[in-house]
Amino acid sequence: MVQRFEKPFTQQEPIPETAIERACEILRSGRLHRYNVANGEVSEAALLEEEYAAWQGSQYCLAITSGGQALQIALRAAGMTAGTKVLANAYTLAPVPGAIHAAGGIPVLVEIDENWHTDIDDLRANAEASGARYFLLSHMRGHIADMDAIVAICDELEITLIEDCAHTMGAQWKGTRSGNFGRVACFSTQTYKHINSGEGGLLTTNDSELASRAVVISGSYMNYAAHGAIPSEDVFQQTRLQSPNCSARLDNLRAMLIRAQLPLLEDNVRRWNERYSVLQSGLSSVTGLRLPDRQHHEEFVGSSIQFQANGLGPHVIPEFVEACANRGVEIKWFGADEPYGFTSRFDSWTYLDDIPQLPKTREVLATTCDLRIPLTFSKNDCQEIAAIIGEECERRIGS
Ligand SMILES: *Cc1c(COP(=O)(O)O)cnc(C)c1O
């Protein structure tokens, strides 16, 4: 029996040595601001935009300060104005309703199903009832819903689809990269996502007008031509004076950190999935836990794993989570009434005018448990973690 797991769930891998050396060069140069370049030099931020656009397979890319800022800028650049209703799946992280609110919009929360996917029927019902013409879809914890159905509804009802790919950078659905289904996609390079620059965000699109607006909104002043992966000057001529400056530029130091990690992403996806699969097979044999089969269309990135502790009553789950924590296994429970850590549930966003009941989402989240899978864990560590969870769960069945 494993007594206690000792490694921290928040320990990331080190930044590659070559990037640390390059960071010193950038720091010594003092040229941290993306428009502060020597004559003829292309900034790290612009190079990142070109490289990420090429990797993602999108025409345009904008580097920004955070994933949350990417969402806000995407909404504004897609034409959202104050008072606009925006559909959003209710299982998401607080920056999503926050971005809609900051851009003056009104979130219309949509139910999820038992696999943490957007409930397609509820999406249609809410779209029809509210008349909302924007859908900010977060692929929360990397679970990708039926994109054929979502794209079809969005086309039929003339809804602009914005993808929040904070947990799906590097994932695919039916062979298409997550982020290439909607009009615009947003990514985060915050420490706990798939690339670690501390804070950072990326926005991708094939829409030239949207791209030009996004660049100006990000705070380009009239330096937009210094960006990488942007539309031509004539597009900017139409939009440059019509877009507010919301100051969210990425600096060269962080841009370089992202550039240094992008070539590692594909291999890291493979490493995450190896660890995920050890945890998945360990946990799926535990009585009392439900791990949904993932759709075979989904090539996900297993940087975290979710399960439902539905063999334990809701009154037993807090004790189970605590017992795991005492043995070094940090489980986030989405059923807690008080938000803690990074976890938050839709009913804690009380600044929203009216929060719907969403009984289905509430029921699913009441038993939803979530584990980070840092790459500093070995496959053996994942086995130990599954064993601890299994013991603590099974000894509480029927209590
Ligand atoms: C992390 C996250 C964001 C925002 O990213 P930041 O870079 O932290 O602003 C948005 N959506 C989801 C689902 C996230 O998990």
Side-chain angles (χ1 to χ4, degrees):
M1 188 179 106
V2 184
Q3 292 303 319
R4 202 188 137 82
F5 181 71
E6 298 292 348
K7 290 191 186 169
F9 275 71
T10 50
Q11 183 60 56
Q12 309 304 324
E13 293 196 297
I15 299 300
E17 279 305 317
T18 51
I20 295 173
E21 282 163 26
R22 178 76 186 117
C24 293
E25 271 175 42
I26 294 173
L27 292 171
R28 289 194 185 103
S29 79
R31 295 187 182 273
L32 290 167
H33 193 281
R34 67 170 297 161
Y35 305 134
N36 183 5
V37 285
N39 238 341
E41 190 190 358
V42 180
S43 73
E44 288 284 343
L47 291 170
L48 166 64
E49 288 162 341
E50 283 165 19
E51 289 165 8
Y52 195 78
W55 189 86
Q56 178 67 26
S58 66
Q59 249 176 302
Y60 311 115
C61 175
L62 169 67
I64 11 194
T65 46
S66 72
Q69 281 295 325
L71 296 173
Q72 209 183 123
I73 291 171
L75 286 163
R76 292 181 199 270
M80 203 208 98
T81 51
T84 303
K85 289 178 179 164
V86 181
L87 297 155
N89 45 315
Y91 179 44
T92 186
L93 203 73
V96 171
I100 298 170
H101 188 78
I106 303 163
V108 177
L109 298 179
V110 177
E111 293 263 37
I112 57 160
D113 65 20
E114 67 283 1
N115 298 325
W116 302 291
H117 294 147
T118 298
D119 181 314
I120 302 290
D121 296 334
D122 199 56
L123 174 65
R124 174 180 288 281
N126 267 294
E128 287 174 350
S130 68
R133 291 292 169 265
Y134 291 87
F135 177 23
L136 178 39
L137 164 63
S138 38
H139 305 294
M140 182 62 170
R141 290 296 188 265
H143 296 276
I144 306 178
D146 180 344
M147 293 308 297
D148 286 340
I150 287 177
V151 167
I153 291 182
C154 290
D155 284 349
E156 180 193 331
L157 301 179
E158 294 177 8
I159 292 170
T160 294
L161 177 62
I162 298 166
E163 291 182 76
D164 171 6
C165 303
H167 305 158
T168 54
M169 180 188 275
Q172 302 189 14
W173 198 82
K174 282 194 182 171
T176 297
R177 275 204 203 287
S178 180
N180 292 350
F181 290 88
R183 192 160 153 224
V184 48
C186 302
F187 302 84
S188 169
T189 60
Q190 185 240 80
T191 290
Y192 300 108
K193 314 294 164 114
H194 298 170
I195 286 182
N196 174 13
S197 62
E199 304 281 1
L202 293 157
L203 177 156
T204 59
T205 183
N206 290 330
D207 181 321
S208 57
E209 190 187 316
L210 191 155
S212 70
R213 285 187 192 283
V215 169
V216 178
I217 295 170
S218 79
S220 68
Y221 305 95
M222 293 299 130
N223 295 310
Y224 51 82
H227 279 245
I230 45 165
S232 57
E233 173 65 25
D234 56 307
V235 182
F236 281 96
Q237 286 300 326
Q238 306 296 316
T239 56
R240 60 182 200 152
L241 303 179
Q242 288 174 11
S243 306
N245 177 324
C246 296
S247 227
R249 296 165 303 273
L250 192 70
D251 58 88
N252 285 328
L253 187 59
R254 284 175 217 190
M256 179 279 293
L257 293 175
I258 301 169
R259 288 186 68 210
Q261 291 167 67
L262 188 56
L264 310 177
L265 185 54
E266 215 149 87
D267 196 47
N268 284 345
V269 169
R270 183 188 60 72
R271 294 168 66 218
W272 263 307
N273 289 349
E274 277 176 3
R275 285 153 181 78
Y276 182 96
S277 113
V278 172
L279 275 163
Q280 184 184 37
S281 61
L283 293 174
S284 49
S285 62
V286 175
T287 310
L289 301 186
R290 173 182 177 269
L291 278 92
D293 285 336
R294 302 199 63 157
Q295 294 183 48
H296 68 279
H297 298 315
E298 192 192 12
E299 290 160 60
F300 59 92
V301 182
S303 53
S304 69
I305 189 164
Q306 292 68 45
F307 56 87
Q308 285 183 289
N310 50 7
L312 303 175
H315 55 292
V316 184
I317 296 179
E319 187 194 307
F320 157 71
V321 170
E322 201 189 320
C324 291
N326 289 337
R327 295 180 64 185
V329 174
E330 262 181 59
I331 296 175
K332 302 272 176 192
W333 175 44
F334 278 93
D337 281 332
E338 271 300 308
Y340 63 97
F342 286 98
T343 309
S344 67
R345 205 172 55 186
F346 66 92
D347 54 353
S348 46
W349 306 323
T350 58
Y351 61 87
L352 300 180
D353 278 342
D354 47 342
I355 302 171
Q357 282 301 313
L358 304 178
K360 234 173 138 168
T361 303
R362 211 176 269 277
E363 191 191 328
V364 173
L365 295 186
T367 56
T368 295
C369 295
D370 172 40
L371 283 176
R372 289 179 199 284
I373 312 179
L375 287 173
T376 49
F377 288 1
S378 65
K379 287 186 267 180
N380 196 44
D381 292 336
C382 295
Q383 240 160 15
E384 288 186 13
I385 292 165
I388 290 173
I389 294 173
E391 283 167 17
E392 295 303 334
C393 178
E394 288 180 352
R395 73 162 60 135
R396 287 179 174 79
I397 296 285
S399 71

